[in-house]
Amino acid sequence: MKYADIIVDISLEALDKIFQYIVPERLMSEIRVGSQVTVPFGKGNRCVRGYVVGFSDVTEYAPEKLKEIQDIKKGSMVVESQMICLADWMGRVYGCTRAQSLKTVMNVKRRIRGGTKRLYRLAVSRNEAEEEMKKLAVLPRFASRAAILSLMLDDSVGQGISETEMKKKVPSPEAALKTLMKHGWIEAVEASDYRIPYSEVSDGKRVSLNREQRQAVEEILTDEREVHLLYGVTGSGKTEVYMQLIEQALASRRQVIVLIPEISLTYQNIARFRSRFGRRVSVMNSRMSEGERYDQYIQAKNGEIDIMLGPRSALFTPFPNLGLIIIDEEQDGAYKSDTTPKYHAVDVAIQRMKLCGGKVVLGSATPSVVTYDRAVRGIYGMHRLEKRVAGGVMARTEVIDLREELRKKNYSIFSRRLQEEIENRLERREQILLFLNRRGYAGFISCRSCGHVIRCPHCDISMTLHKSEGNILKCHYCGMTLPMPGNCPECGSRYIGAFGMGTQKVTEMLEKRFPQARILRADRDSMNRKNSHLEVFQAFARGEADILVGTQMIVKGHDFPNVTLVGVLAADLSMFSGDYLAGERTFQLLTQAAGRAGRGAKPGLAIIQTYQPEHYAVTCAAAQDYEAFYRQEILYRKLMHYPPAGHMMAAVAEHEDEITVREGAAVLAETLKGSDVQVLPPAEGFHAKEKDRYRRVIYIKSQEISGLMACRERARDLIRRDGLFRQMNVQFDINPMNLY
């Protein structure tokens, strides 16, 4: 550790500007990544604060031109130092560059100039103001001055009152305000005018905890383990447990991060948290403007808010005294990043809590097999909520065999039983959720004469028909669009059409079959505007629609008391996705979907339509029996050495030339081999071609994650020295959750 790499400004604009300094002998034993140091900077050698982000034995500059670090700041580690340490850990574990990990952790893109507002407050003591107000109050012509002073006296906090607020209570206050300022009774101050997302939200209520909830809170607070699984059936009141834990953290002057998997869940969550904790709760997500995100970042850093709610990126909120991270629906794949660094929010949250000294609470009705296995083995604390709050009962579940429907000449996507129940609910003015895990109008476009399927020329993926956007074909990977052809481009036949089913087509079929029904659609295509998800779910909650058709986002965490029927139209779409998590995902989606029904006073029914009614993911979900599913799934994982019975890594090679990527993947596979790892032969990726680049994937298994990291370093050495990889993109993903 001869040279230290230092950034002298923590803003993202400066993260690429790293300066090297000599580490003096006297500081060698103390200095580490994240240390806050004082360094001479610029021509004048003025002393500035910097942060150590790494070390090296070599320097890019002439050693005699480098300056020495002057000192290390003693005492507790500031939040910037913690975040740099976290970025350093992420770089080592996930194999990304230092710049990539730093920019992920310091996730506000750039400084955004915030607005300011003018506030007015007393410039004299309260006693003096009261005396003056009494004198003015008896003179009618000075009524406005007296009213303004009265408003100032009511401002017990002393933060000030804006002219807009004044005008609501004092007609035409301008002249009186000017006079009071001229004579020194009040003064004007500039204050930050933070952009507050979801500022209109204020509803929600506080409820008393039942015995199960109280017991879970007490156990989590007294258990010395850092990580806890709150395992509760849908509707068991996990959020109320979160609230009580947050209350305890705030009482200890600690801050809290609450992660949710979907932006669409923001509104109902912010409503519940703001009603309990007021404006000390804020939100961070990608649908907000850069200015809004920057304002939340600054408020968190300055200690002006205590609770941050949001999806994965909210994990990096720069709270100076973080004490609790809650990850709701912890099993959700959205917590795994699909861009570099390919981190999992649960693992990063645990590492961040090791730096801060707090607790991580993972909540779910259908925990991931990895999390549940760790809880069963005592690594995590386990706390169960087995009953719905207020005595509610779980929805009754029926499984419909679609093979039988075909035998009885029902060619509709809706089984006869589901159609019957939809009619019943519409008559009773109850609401219905219909879940299909595919957006768009149809799965693919094919010619019935020659069998040609229209595929994206850049990605080798079948294109999807979107009727509402002008009858176009769209690639869901690169976004390319084509007009829907009238004839087959391969053989010229006019018998070309849509096969499969998407949410858009389901909505169209519902409109024909149930013309009396009011229908809303919720998927990524129909909700791509800012706050569009909010508008759809609020409208449905207000009863402005009878049926909500959607993808995964409608079955995660929503609470609609008047929904008494949930229909899963095609459970098989996730069951045969081709990766080792297919059974787990199917069970989770079916269980979560069933959990949306009957959450109010009325009993609920969930109807699952499938071609594989005997599959254990379906039978266990229908029985709402997680333990039975876990027993089956863990046997399969142990047999195949999949997580949690081992660790996996995907090495993904991409190149615009197919032959080059094949050669590169073969050479890479040989280098990856080792005594402590199992290397599978290179294969075409699930998406063999994407955005004009060919892809080959190598999967590596190991009992220990350290074996995979050593394997990755061998591969990186090869990539650095072998010219074959000069134009090839090679990425590594530890414990991948999606197919490549």
Side-chain angles (χ1 to χ4, degrees):
M1 293 195 307
K2 190 175 182 181
Y3 306 105
D5 300 326
I6 292 174
I7 51 174
V8 296
D9 185 354
I10 209 68
S11 68
L12 254 196
E13 299 99 317
L15 289 184
D16 285 327
K17 298 175 185 174
I18 293 174
F19 301 91
Q20 282 192 315
Y21 283 84
I22 297 169
V23 180
E25 191 70 33
R26 59 189 170 83
L27 300 179
M28 284 283 191
S29 61
E30 300 176 60
I31 199 163
R32 58 183 56 87
V33 169
S35 291
Q36 190 179 164
V37 295
T38 305
V39 293
F41 190 74
K43 290 182 180 178
N45 285 332
R46 61 189 175 92
C47 291
V48 299
R49 181 179 58 191
Y51 298 90
V52 177
V53 296
F55 298 98
S56 57
D57 294 324
V58 294
T59 175
E60 301 172 13
Y61 312 98
E64 62 273 10
K65 291 185 177 180
L66 296 184
K67 302 170 186 176
E68 275 196 358
I69 295 171
Q70 291 184 345
D71 200 7
I72 298 176
K73 185 175 180 181
K74 304 295 191 296
S76 62
M77 187 178 279
V78 295
V79 65
E80 290 89 350
S81 298
Q82 288 181 2
M83 301 308 275
I84 289 167
C85 286
L86 187 63
D88 180 63
W89 177 85
M90 288 175 67
R92 285 184 281 109
V93 172
Y94 299 109
C96 59
T97 66
R98 184 166 52 197
Q100 287 168 334
S101 62
L102 280 171
K103 288 184 178 182
T104 301
V105 167
M106 312 290 183
N107 60 8
V108 174
K109 298 300 180 191
R110 59 177 181 269
R111 289 191 176 96
I112 305 293
R113 186 180 295 278
T116 58
K117 58 184 175 183
R118 204 174 205 208
L119 301 178
Y120 298 92
R121 64 186 184 193
L122 290 174
V124 296
S125 69
R126 294 182 65 83
N127 289 339
E128 289 176 289
E130 285 174 1
E131 289 297 321
E132 181 66 10
M133 185 188 70
K134 289 173 185 175
K135 292 176 188 175
L136 296 173
V138 298
L139 301 170
R141 69 179 186 277
F142 296 144
S144 292
R145 297 186 203 175
I148 290 173
L149 286 175
S150 177
L151 279 176
M152 298 291 162
L153 288 165
D154 287 341
D155 178 26
S156 56
V157 181
Q159 290 182 337
I161 298 172
S162 69
E163 193 169 329
T164 305
E165 291 175 275
M166 267 186 219
K167 286 179 179 177
K168 293 176 184 176
K169 299 184 179 179
V170 182
S172 304
E174 294 86 353
L177 195 58
K178 191 174 180 181
T179 303
L180 288 169
M181 288 183 66
K182 181 180 177 182
H183 291 94
W185 292 102
I186 62 175
E187 63 184 359
V189 293
E190 294 293 322
S192 296
D193 189 12
Y194 288 125
R195 288 153 280 219
I196 302 174
Y198 303 93
S199 57
E200 76 285 359
V201 174
S202 60
D203 60 326
K205 60 183 180 180
R206 179 171 184 159
V207 300
S208 299
L209 300 187
N210 61 27
R211 184 186 60 80
E212 274 190 336
Q213 291 170 322
R214 287 196 304 273
Q215 183 176 341
V217 170
E218 290 167 8
E219 288 176 352
I220 291 170
L221 291 174
T222 55
D223 194 315
E224 291 183 356
R225 283 172 287 198
E226 289 178 338
V227 188
H228 298 267
L229 170 61
L230 182 62
Y231 168 40
V233 298
T234 53
S236 59
K238 291 185 288 295
T239 304
E240 286 302 322
V241 174
Y242 300 157
M243 297 249 199
Q244 191 62 38
L245 292 170
I246 291 169
E247 208 164 77
Q248 295 294 323
L250 298 185
S252 303
R253 300 186 180 278
R254 306 293 295 272
Q255 293 98 38
V256 181
I257 293 172
V258 181
L259 298 189
I260 54 176
E262 291 274 356
I263 293 175
S264 60
L265 295 172
T266 301
Y267 183 83
Q268 70 174 38
N269 279 287
I270 196 69
R272 296 179 75 174
F273 282 90
R274 282 239 175 101
S275 69
R276 182 78 163 262
F277 302 109
R279 290 297 174 85
R280 304 292 290 182
V281 181
S282 194
V283 184
M284 183 91 79
N285 64 51
S286 60
R287 292 280 178 92
M288 292 159 54
S289 69
E290 286 194 16
E292 286 175 324
R293 291 204 302 275
Y294 182 72
D295 282 357
Q296 312 326 303
Y297 182 93
I298 292 301
Q299 288 183 87
K301 188 174 181 303
N302 293 343
E304 297 173 43
I305 54 177
D306 297 309
I307 304 165
M308 184 61 81
L309 175 75
R312 190 178 64 229
S313 59
L315 179 59
F316 305 109
T317 302
F319 279 133
N321 196 22
L322 182 65
L324 175 65
I325 297 177
I326 293 168
I327 304 183
D328 193 30
E329 306 293 352
E330 67 81 28
Q331 81 287 346
D332 200 283
Y335 290 126
K336 171 77 173 180
S337 171
D338 56 4
T339 58
T340 304
K342 297 179 185 291
Y343 68 91
H344 197 293
V346 171
D347 298 327
V348 177
I350 293 169
Q351 180 62 24
R352 187 165 184 197
M353 280 294 96
K354 286 179 180 176
L355 297 170
C356 299
K359 291 183 184 288
V360 177
V361 175
L362 311 173
S364 180
T366 55
S368 70
V369 172
V370 170
T371 293
Y372 191 78
D373 185 70
R374 288 174 182 167
V376 166
R377 291 190 286 131
I379 300 170
Y380 298 167
M382 168 98 81
H383 315 278
R384 297 174 183 266
L385 301 177
E386 297 178 340
K387 297 176 183 175
R388 281 190 159 180
V389 293
V393 296
M394 301 298 293
R396 189 164 51 87
T397 304
E398 295 181 16
V399 178
I400 304 297
D401 187 345
L402 290 177
R403 298 171 299 187
E404 190 64 28
E405 292 292 311
L406 284 173
R407 280 193 283 270
K408 294 187 176 176
K409 312 249 184 255
N410 176 18
Y411 302 112
S412 166
I413 185 67
F414 311 115
S415 65
R416 292 163 299 154
R417 179 80 176 106
L418 181 58
Q419 292 182 57
E420 176 189 327
E421 288 298 333
I422 290 174
E423 290 278 13
N424 290 341
R425 266 53 183 189
L426 291 174
E427 287 175 12
R428 301 204 300 251
R429 298 186 179 278
E430 295 170 0
Q431 290 177 299
I432 302 147
L433 287 180
L434 293 180
F435 164 60
L436 180 72
N437 201 19
R438 176 181 282 154
R439 65 193 205 269
Y441 185 82
F444 59 95
I445 307 300
S446 177
C447 174
R448 296 183 185 181
S449 294
C450 70
H452 175 71
V453 175
I454 298 182
R455 307 174 80 85
C456 172
H458 304 292
C459 302
D460 198 28
I461 299 294
S462 58
M463 301 190 80
T464 303
L465 176 62
H466 288 254
K467 271 198 167 183
S468 64
E469 298 176 36
N471 222 34
I472 62 167
L473 304 181
K474 181 185 284 188
C475 173
H476 285 169
Y477 290 89
C478 70
M480 180 183 176
T481 59
L482 293 172
M484 174 67 186
N487 298 87
C488 174
E490 189 72 16
C491 72
S493 168
R494 61 188 179 88
Y495 296 106
I496 186 165
F499 287 75
M501 195 72 60
T503 50
Q504 191 179 338
K505 189 171 183 180
V506 168
T507 302
E508 186 180 287
M509 294 173 71
L510 280 170
E511 288 167 349
K512 290 178 181 176
R513 176 66 182 81
F514 305 100
Q516 76 276 31
R518 300 166 298 164
I519 303 168
L520 284 172
R521 181 162 66 100
D523 57 30
R524 199 183 305 168
D525 296 312
S526 63
M527 302 168 75
N528 53 12
R529 293 180 295 105
K530 182 179 179 180
N531 293 333
S532 56
H533 61 285
L534 182 61
E535 295 163 9
V536 170
F537 290 119
Q538 277 186 310
F540 191 67
R542 289 193 299 265
E544 294 173 16
D546 305 303
I547 304 174
L548 178 61
V549 181
T551 52
Q552 289 187 33
M553 64 175 66
I554 72 169
V555 300
K556 295 177 182 177
H558 295 290
D559 194 348
F560 301 119
N562 198 38
V563 169
T564 59
L565 175 64
V566 170
V568 180
L569 300 182
D572 309 80
L573 286 177
S574 58
M575 198 184 305
F576 301 108
S577 61
D579 67 357
Y580 78 95
L581 292 168
E584 179 178 329
R585 285 201 190 100
T586 300
F587 173 82
Q588 289 165 347
L589 285 170
L590 298 184
T591 306
Q592 292 283 347
R596 299 311 109 202
R599 294 174 75 92
K602 302 170 187 174
L605 172 65
I607 293 178
I608 299 172
Q609 299 185 163
T610 175
Y611 289 98
Q612 299 284 334
E614 67 282 354
H615 193 286
Y616 68 90
V618 175
T619 58
C620 294
Q624 298 277 306
D625 190 344
Y626 181 87
E627 280 75 14
F629 167 76
Y630 169 76
R631 287 194 296 271
Q632 294 250 34
E633 186 71 12
I634 198 68
L635 288 174
Y636 159 63
R637 303 285 181 92
K638 287 177 177 176
L639 181 66
M640 301 302 296
H641 304 292
Y642 289 133
H647 294 280
M648 281 183 68
M649 180 171 69
V652 187
E654 292 180 341
H655 196 273
E656 58 191 19
D657 180 65
E658 187 175 9
I659 295 173
T660 302
V661 80
R662 283 177 178 274
E663 289 177 2
V667 174
L668 191 62
E670 281 300 314
T671 303
L672 288 167
K673 289 179 181 177
S675 59
D676 55 347
V677 296
Q678 177 191 358
V679 179
L680 304 183
E684 277 192 347
F686 182 67
H687 310 308
K689 181 184 177 187
E690 190 172 321
K691 299 180 183 177
D692 287 326
R693 295 180 70 84
Y694 293 90
R695 177 179 287 175
R696 300 285 286 181
V697 184
I698 306 164
Y699 286 101
I700 308 102
K701 297 180 184 179
S702 175
Q703 284 300 110
E704 302 296 333
I705 200 166
S706 57
L708 296 180
M709 292 168 71
C711 187
R712 185 179 63 203
E713 287 310 305
R714 289 199 300 275
R716 285 184 152 178
D717 287 341
L718 169 72
I719 292 165
R720 280 191 289 266
R721 68 174 188 266
D722 194 326
L724 178 64
F725 296 93
R726 194 165 293 134
Q727 301 299 321
M728 197 178 300
N729 179 31
V730 181
Q731 296 185 36
F732 300 91
D733 188 359
I734 299 277
N735 291 329
M737 294 185 68
N738 294 302
L739 283 174
Y740 287 96

